[in-house]
Each structure stands twice: as structure tokens, then as C-alpha cells.
């Protein structure tokens, strides 16, 4: 299996996992997570998500969407969570 189909499979598995965890009731959140993972935005520099590949970003944004309910939708907690997770995911990787 080449790298591209493996990556597409991984992205689909991440989306399937999110759907199973949420009971399928949050498709708009998943759509937004995919959208955020696809294109780099101004927030990516501060959040350090610009150093991650698409699948890692998708996983991170899906995790954030899922955990936002536990954080009472607090934007500061969410931003700290994303940045800390991105730092952890990029630890040991060369800078882009």
C-alpha cells in the first residue's frame, strides 16, 4: 500500500472514531475539524499546528471538538489544550 492511500485510510479512521465516540450526532463539528485541518490559518502559528501533517492536525482538531464539552466550551482552555497537544505531537520532529 502506498503512502497516500494509507494516509487517506488513517484520516477516515480518525473520522470514524470521532463519529463512534459522539454517537454520530456531531457531524458539523467533524466537518469543521476537517476544514481546519486542511488549510493553514493564522491561528496555526500560535497553536503550533502548522508543524503537523494533515492527519495529525485532523486527529488533534477532532480531539479538541470532542473534549470541548468537558472544558465547558472555554476558549482559553481549548487554546491551551491545542497548543500543548501540538507541542507534544511535534516533539522531536525537525522544524518545518
Amino acid at each position: 500500500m502506498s503512502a497516500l492511500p494509507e494516509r487517506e485510510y488513517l484520516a477516515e479512521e480518525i473520522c470514524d472514531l470521532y463519529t463512534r465516540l459522539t454517537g454520530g450526532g456531531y457531524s458539523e463539528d467533524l466537518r469543521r475539524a476537517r476544514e481546519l485541518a486542511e488549510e493553514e490559518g493564522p491561528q496555526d502559528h500560535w497553536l503550533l499546528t502548522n508543524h503537523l501533517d494533515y492527519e495529525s492536525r485532523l486527529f488533534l482538531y477532532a480531539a479538541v471538538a470532542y473534549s470541548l464539552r468537558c472544558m465547558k466550551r472555554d476558549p482559553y482552555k481549548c487554546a491551551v489544550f491545542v497548543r500543548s497537544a501540538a507541542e507534544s505531537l511535534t516533539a522531536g520532529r525537525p522544524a518545518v
Side-chain angles (χ1 to χ4, degrees), residues 57-76:
R57 287 163 55 121
L58 177 60
F59 179 79
L60 179 56
Y61 284 124
V64 169
Y66 185 73
S67 53
L68 263 174
R69 287 153 194 62
C70 299
M71 293 183 226
K72 310 278 190 249
R73 298 199 177 274
D74 182 317
Y76 179 75

Side-chain angles (χ1 to χ4, degrees), residues 28-87:
E28 181 61 27
D29 290 350
L30 183 56
R31 184 197 63 74
R32 184 69 177 135
R34 284 182 151 215
E35 187 178 284
L36 285 169
E38 286 174 0
E39 54 191 51
E40 190 173 317
Q43 74 280 359
D44 290 309
H45 177 74
W46 187 84
L47 294 173
L48 302 179
T49 52
N50 57 335
H51 299 287
L52 302 174
D53 59 23
Y54 171 75
E55 291 77 15
S56 298
R57 287 163 55 121
L58 177 60
F59 179 79
L60 179 56
Y61 284 124
V64 169
Y66 185 73
S67 53
L68 263 174
R69 287 153 194 62
C70 299
M71 293 183 226
K72 310 278 190 249
R73 298 199 177 274
D74 182 317
Y76 179 75
K77 287 180 184 176
C78 181
V80 170
F81 176 77
V82 173
R83 185 178 171 107
S84 296
E87 285 176 332

